[in-house]
Amino acid sequence: MGFTPQQINAMSMWQFVAAFDGYVKANGGGEEKMSNAEADDLWNWLQSKDDSGI
């Protein structure tokens, strides 16, 4: 979010949560969540990758 640890320590919980909510909304957090089918497809795709190069 771009805050330093000192800035976060100086915030109230309300201020931090408001900043966090704004950050999420500004960066695409309001989109629909992935469906279970999409999650399963993603998991299967990740499992199919060859990890010998890692």
Side-chain angles (χ1 to χ4, degrees), residues 2 6 14-15 18 21 24-26 29 31 36 41-42 45 52:
Q6 293 80 11
W14 181 90
Q15 289 171 319
D21 286 344
V24 169
K25 288 177 185 175
E31 299 171 6
N36 286 339
D41 289 343
L42 177 59
W45 178 77
S52 63

Side-chain angles (χ1 to χ4, degrees), residues 24-50:
V24 169
K25 288 177 185 175
N27 290 288
E31 299 171 6
E32 291 184 27
K33 292 185 178 180
M34 178 182 311
S35 71
N36 286 339
E38 291 171 322
D40 289 340
D41 289 343
L42 177 59
W43 178 252
N44 291 333
W45 178 77
L46 288 170
Q47 292 297 312
S48 71
K49 295 296 170 188
D50 180 16

Side-chain angles (χ1 to χ4, degrees), residues 8-31:
I8 292 172
N9 287 340
M11 291 180 190
S12 69
M13 182 62 73
W14 181 90
Q15 289 171 319
F16 178 78
V17 171
F20 178 78
D21 286 344
Y23 180 84
V24 169
K25 288 177 185 175
N27 290 288
E31 299 171 6

